[in-house]
Amino acid sequence: MIEDFQLISPGKVRVRYAPSPTGPLHIGSARTALFNFLFSQKYKGTFILRIEDTDKERSKKEYEEDIINSLKWLGIIWQEGPDIGGKYGPYRQSERVDIYKKYIKKLLDEDKIYPCFCSKDELESFRQYQMSIGKAPIYSGKCRNLSKEEVKKKMEKGIPFVLRFKTPLNEKIVFKDLLRGKIIFSTDEIGDFVIAKDFETPLYNFAAIIDDYEMRISHVIRGEDHISNTPKQILLQKALGIEPPLYLHIPLILGPDRSKLSKRHGTKSVLEYKKEGFLSEAVINFLALLGWHPKEEKEIFSLNYLINEFSIEGIQKGGAVFNKEKMIWLNGYYIRKSPLEKIANLAIPYLVDAKLIKAEKIDDFPSNEFLILETGKKVNFDFIKNIISIHQERIKILSEIPNLVDYFFKQKITIDKDLLIWKDASELEIKDCLIKVKKIIENIPEINFNRENLEKILSEESLKIGKGDRGKVLWPLRVALSGKKASAGPFDIATILGKEEILKRIEEAIKILS
């Protein structure tokens, strides 16, 4: 099906991402937005954001804001949309009612739709009957041939109604999906479907095709769960004399059990992943891997790389399995490769939330002055940056930072006696090693107290004290300074804590072993 894409002229592509603001933006929807964005940028086209808010009861402004903020954070930027306008707006369906009414009137005047007065109970009873005899549950057509007089009487009585499309009988609907090839539906499997709740409230299939036509959409790229909607939309387009766009249905994202990805798999919204401490670059990279593969064997790629290399050939037909561990691995990679100053700035809110520090000038964020809450000591941004620098290689998600570095902000750390012990050494041996290390550090002049000297002196002396085994000295020293089984190295920690603080912590460890 790729030949259709080879004929595209640069600048002619117009695609849209059209979410319903009935909840926050989740991973599956974000991937759909990304694929539309990449396709539009690849062909120097236009990416449109359209808010499909015809569901008045469930659509909320805060969800629209979440969608917009999520996409902006990911770097998926639109050229036309509800917040910036454009030539073919408005871009909220709730603001396009007059446009829909015009097309509803046209279909009504041409006798291509009709009011249906069947009650919900009546429809449900017939649906259950059809299923019981092994047939697809489609509308019976009861109201299809009501006379104008009968319709008028029912409306005068105020009987609720919906508008149904008169689906042609015994026809084949054939369309070409640009990923899957030819797809065929029979109209006998569709029946007369509802296009509007009334003359002013269109439903999805109708509003979508009107908007796609009015907004000059060239390609509709969406999830494969919309394949069953496509024949209905094609029927409506044909009835209105509208040229259909090209369709491409991408595979769904699956959970580890290979069922459709949902909340029960533990997934979160895009902004929840941001709050958890994922970088936008990592999320974009991860989304691209969900159902798309580049020509070359690689897993790390930037948004600019994706724009240049994205192709329909790379989209897989099978569903991609969501792998949180892979997402975390990618995030760790991007954290390691990011500038130190960036990660240090991103770390500050997590340290504040953990009540380790207080930003003294929060209105001038990122602040350069901080108060360590337990000790009352004031520090600057360089102090934060130094701490992050010795942990950056270990950070996988930003929310881990407080637990990794909290020992720098504590008045007194908790030390597990057993953790101080190196291999099969005795408590007495470890205590003796710490006493000797303490004396060595005490004799280092303040002017010479830096990482280079610490490493040189302690590396040499630890060999002597440990009788050839540095670990017997450096392991308990590191634990005494951090209280942790895994942490940065003792020389890095000691340099940041300073001579006075490390002597105090070593003394505490010695007491524990006494």
Side-chain angles (χ1 to χ4, degrees), residues 229-246:
N229 287 320
T230 306
K232 297 175 184 178
Q233 294 179 3
I234 289 173
L235 283 169
L236 288 168
Q237 289 159 344
K238 185 177 179 181
L240 289 166
I242 291 173
E243 183 69 25
L246 296 173

Side-chain angles (χ1 to χ4, degrees), residues 90 118 122 162 218 238 283 338 357 359 374 388 396 413-414 434 479 493 512:
C118 296
E122 191 176 357
V162 295
S218 62
K238 185 177 179 181
V283 178
S338 293
I357 62 172
E374 279 199 21
I388 298 303
K396 294 177 181 176
I413 62 171
T414 301
L434 287 174
V479 173
I493 297 171
I512 289 171

